[in-house]
Amino acid sequence: MEFEILLDAILGERRIFHIIECPVCGLEEIYYEHHVTKRLLGRACSCCNFVQRFS
């Protein structure tokens, strides 16, 4: 639940664009896009607690 709050704060409203294998932990790294504009927002891995916002 805390990770979802972090995603809300950093990426805002979003939906899943693509899921790949995380290069660090081997689990899911998820790419997110804005639900209306379809602009790529960032990527995140809940296992690593990693979130990156794209400029």
Side-chain angles (χ1 to χ4, degrees):
M1 183 65 179
E2 292 177 15
F3 190 71
E4 289 294 322
I5 294 170
L6 178 65
L7 287 177
D8 288 341
I10 295 176
L11 299 178
E13 294 186 39
R14 67 203 173 278
R15 73 175 187 187
I16 294 175
F17 172 72
H18 189 67
I19 300 173
I20 64 169
E21 182 178 323
C22 178
V24 176
C25 69
L27 295 178
E28 294 180 340
E29 182 176 62
I30 303 173
Y31 283 74
Y32 294 98
E33 69 180 0
H34 190 270
H35 69 286
V36 175
T37 64
K38 309 286 193 249
R39 187 177 64 102
L40 204 55
L41 295 175
R43 63 184 179 158
C45 176
S46 61
C47 183
C48 299
N49 285 320
F50 169 76
V51 179
Q52 178 183 16
R53 181 176 178 90
F54 300 144
S55 299

